[in-house]
Amino acid sequence: MRTFVASKNKIHMSKRYTITAALPYTNGPIHIGHLAGVYVPADIYSRYLRLTGNDVAFICGSDEHGVPITIKAKKEGVTPQDIVDKYHAIIKQSFIDFGISLDNYSRTTAKIHHDTAQEFFKTLYDKNEFVEEVTEQLYDEEANQFLADRFVTGTCPKCGNEEAYGDQCESCGSSLNATDLINPKSAITGNVPTLKETKHWFLPLNKHEEFLREWILKGHKKDWKPNVYGQVKSWIDDGLRPRAVTRDLDWGIPVPVEGGEGKVLYVWFDAPIGYISATKEWAEREGKNWEDYWKDEDTKLVHFIGKDNIVFHCIIFPSMLKAEGSYILPENVPANEFLNLEGQKLSTSKNWAVWLPDYLIDFPNQQDVLRYALTANAPETKDNDFTWKDFQARNNNELVAIFGNFINRVVVLTNKYYDGIIPEPSGYNTIDKETLAAVKAYPSVISSSIERYRFREASQELMNLARLGNKYLADEEPWKTIKTDEARTKTVMFVALHIASALAVLSEPFLPFTSEKLKGILNTNANNWESISTKDILISAKHQIGKAELLFSKIEDAQIEAQLEKLIASKKANEAANKVVEPQKEEIAFEDFTKLDLRVGTILEAEKMPKTKKLLVLKVDTGIDTRTIVSGIAESFSPEEVIGKRVTVLVNLAPRKLRGVESQGMILMTEDQAGHLVFVNPDNTKDGVSNGLQIS
C-alpha cells in the first residue's frame, strides 16, 4: 500500500527501496574502513527511509568464494568452508552488535544463492549473451593447476609495483589481467608459470558500451557523485572489452552448462547476484514477493560500496542485469573513497586496522561514538584519515559537551523543578516561537542532505539542533527565572523538552542506541520523522519523564594511548613476522674464515664527517693500536652516543679512503626487527673481555 509522507515544503509518495551494502569478504573480520565506506552510510540511509514511511529491503551477505579464501585455508591447514563459516559468524554478529539494521544477512555458499547464480548464468547462456573463447591462461606445472588472478603476483605494468596481483594493483588501483604482469610468479609454488590453453565464457562488455554511455554518462551526469561518474566515464572512454565470467577452480559455484566441468563462476559474477539471492531468502521468510524489489520500475535500487567496487556495480553488474532483461537498474551508486588510519593506508594483511570486534570489546556500549566519528569524518569525496585523537575529540567535544550536555540539563532540571512531570507552558514569546519554528525546519534540512548522500553534512545538522537547544537554555537561564518568574520557567522547560523530543527521533539514523535510550528517558515513542515538522506539541504537558542518565561518557587520554600502543605493537609484530631474512651466502672454506681478524675494541672519539649525512669518523682502541675508522652510522647514532661503546672490529680489512679520510677497518653492525642499526658488540666486561681479544 502507498502512503503519503509530508515534509516541509513537499509531499511525496512513499516508495519501495532495495538497499544493498557490498558483500564483505569472509577471510577476516570487519574494520573501520569497511564501516566508514559502506555499512554506516547504508544503515543511516535505510533507517531514515523507514522513519519516513518507505518500504525498505536492506540487503547484505558474506562473499564466500574466490582465491584469497582458498589461500587462507591452505595456509591454516583447513578447508575453505571452515574459513567462511568462521568469519561469516564473526561478521554477522558484529553487524548485529553494532546496530547495522539489515533486513537480511545471507551468504554466497547458501543453496539459494548457488541456485540463483546458476539460473542467472543459464539465462544469459541460453540468450547467447556470452562469448565462448579458448585463451591462454597462466598455469603452474608443479601444482598442476591453472592460476586464478590472486594466485599470481608480479610487477604492475602501469606503476612498477612488484607485488601486484593478477587482477589488480593495490598500489595504483589499476585493474589488470594476470597475463599483463611483468615477471609473474605462482603464489602457490613460487615458480614462473607457463601459458596453457583453456576454454571460458566471457561477458562482452563492449556490446553494452552504448547502453552504459546513454544510461550513466547522459542519464546520471547530474545526480551521481563526481568520483563515481568520473571513474565510470574513464572506463567507458577507454573502451570496454569482454570479461571472463568463469574460472578454472574447485572452490565456487559450478558452471551449469555442458563443457563447464572443473570450472566455477568467477567470483565477481556470482557475488552481486548475492544481493538477489539474499532478497529471495528474506522475502520467502517474510511472506513477500522478491520480484517486487528487483523487477518493479517503482522500486529504487541503491548500491552502497567503496570506490574499489565502482566498476563492478556501475558497469559489469548493470550489463548483466540489462542482458537478462527483466531487472531494474540502480538509481544511484554513492561510492565512498578510502579511510586511512593514523596517516597510513588501512591494511588487513599488515594488521594496520581497527577491527570492529575489538572495538566492541574495548569500548562497550559506545557503538554510537564510532558511528558518529566515522560519519563526521566520512571519506565521501576524498580519502580521509581516522585518528584516535579525533575520535576522542568528537566524543568529548561534541557528543558529550553538546548533545549529551543539553539532554542532561533538560532532564535534570525537569526532575528538580517538577518531579519529572512536564510543565504547562504559559504562552510563547518571540524567541520561543523562533526556536520552535527552527526545530520544525530540521527534518527537511537533514532529509535534503541524506537524500543527496551527504551524510557528514546531515550529521552536523543534527548536532546543530543540539546546539540550538544549548543556546536556548543558556540564553533563557531557567535556573535563574525559577526564582523570579515561575510561569516563564515552565514555558522555557516545555520548549527545551520539545527540542529533546525532536532529537530523540532525528538522531535515530545516526545514533540508534542513543535514540532508543533518549526515548526511554523521555518515556515516549509517539513521534516519527514527519511529526517533527508538522506537530506543534511533541511531548505533552503533565507527561511523566524518567530520571537523568548520561547518554555519553568522556573518553580519557589513557584509553586513547592504549589504542595507539596496540597499533604500534601490531605493526611491530607484523614487521617481525614478515621480515625478510637474507639468504645464506655461498659456502666458504674454514681457511677463508680464519683470514678474518675480528677484535674487541672501544670507541674513544667520534665526530660527524663534514658535508655528509651518514658518516661518522671514529677513533677506536683495538687493543693492537688506536686507529681511524669511518662508519656509515650517523643517521642512527650521534657522536655522543657512541663514545665509550664496546664494538667488534674487523681489523685486517684493507684501508680505504672515504671523503679523503683513510678508514682502517670496519665496525660490525646489524639491524633489529624494526630495521634500526645495532652494534654487534661484546658488552659483558665482567668476564674480562678486554680490547684486542680475538673473536673466533
Side-chain angles (χ1 to χ4, degrees), residues 217-237:
L217 300 190
K218 291 184 180 179
H220 287 292
K221 187 173 185 178
K222 295 182 179 179
D223 62 334
W224 279 24
K225 294 172 69 172
N227 61 318
V228 178
Y229 184 88
Q231 191 177 132
V232 172
K233 187 176 187 302
S234 176
W235 271 79
I236 294 174
D237 288 348

Side-chain angles (χ1 to χ4, degrees), residues 129-346:
E129 291 290 344
F130 295 131
V131 175
E132 188 176 314
E133 289 185 20
V134 174
T135 62
E136 288 187 322
Q137 300 286 326
L138 295 177
Y139 188 83
D140 189 320
E141 299 284 353
E142 183 181 338
N144 193 30
Q145 72 176 71
F146 285 98
L147 296 173
D149 296 335
R150 287 273 159 164
F151 273 134
V152 186
T153 59
T155 301
C156 173
K158 298 186 179 181
C159 75
N161 170 31
E162 295 180 354
E163 298 178 351
Y165 291 109
D167 61 344
Q168 187 179 41
C169 174
E170 294 188 349
S171 178
C172 68
S174 298
S175 182
L176 304 170
N177 291 311
T179 50
D180 296 334
L181 293 176
I182 301 167
N183 301 322
K185 287 186 179 180
S186 166
I188 301 173
T189 63
N191 294 338
V192 176
T194 59
L195 286 170
K196 187 174 180 179
E197 287 189 345
T198 183
K199 180 181 73 174
H200 284 292
W201 288 271
F202 290 74
L203 181 67
L205 293 175
N206 49 302
K207 174 183 174 181
H208 302 285
E209 194 170 301
E210 194 52 44
F211 143 68
L212 291 167
R213 191 178 296 277
E214 185 72 25
W215 172 56
I216 299 175
L217 300 190
K218 291 184 180 179
H220 287 292
K221 187 173 185 178
K222 295 182 179 179
D223 62 334
W224 279 24
K225 294 172 69 172
N227 61 318
V228 178
Y229 184 88
Q231 191 177 132
V232 172
K233 187 176 187 302
S234 176
W235 271 79
I236 294 174
D237 288 348
D238 193 40
L240 301 177
R241 290 167 286 280
R243 193 175 182 106
V245 300
T246 58
R247 269 292 180 259
D248 292 291
L249 291 170
D250 56 5
W251 175 248
I253 299 173
V255 174
V257 297
E258 186 177 344
E261 298 81 12
K263 302 179 190 295
V264 298
L265 301 182
Y266 205 165
V267 67
W268 67 256
F269 182 86
D270 104 69
I273 297 172
Y275 301 138
I276 301 170
S277 60
T279 308
K280 284 185 178 181
E281 187 178 72
W282 165 75
E284 185 178 317
R285 186 177 68 235
E286 299 296 325
K288 295 177 179 285
N289 178 10
W290 74 269
E291 291 188 329
D292 289 345
Y293 295 85
W294 281 95
K295 297 186 177 184
D296 188 329
E297 289 296 333
D298 287 335
T299 297
K300 184 175 179 179
L301 174 63
V302 181
H303 296 308
F304 282 87
I305 58 168
K307 68 177 177 182
D308 53 337
N309 267 321
I310 289 174
V311 65
F312 300 106
H313 288 75
C314 298
I315 291 179
I316 297 172
F317 190 40
S319 297
M320 292 163 56
L321 297 174
K322 182 72 172 176
E324 198 279 343
S326 66
Y327 286 84
I328 59 173
L329 298 173
E331 185 108 356
N332 213 312
V333 186
N336 274 350
E337 300 294 292
F338 289 155
L339 186 73
N340 297 322
L341 173 60
E342 298 289 349
Q344 297 182 41
K345 185 178 178 180
L346 275 159

Side-chain angles (χ1 to χ4, degrees), residues 341-345 347 349-353 563-579 673-674:
L341 173 60
E342 298 289 349
Q344 297 182 41
K345 185 178 178 180
S347 172
S349 61
K350 296 178 181 177
N351 202 23
W352 187 255
Q563 294 301 319
L564 292 171
E565 287 172 9
K566 182 189 287 190
L567 275 176
I568 293 168
S570 170
K571 185 177 182 180
K572 287 182 177 178
N574 183 74
E575 288 173 347
N578 293 284
K579 187 170 179 64
Q673 291 181 343

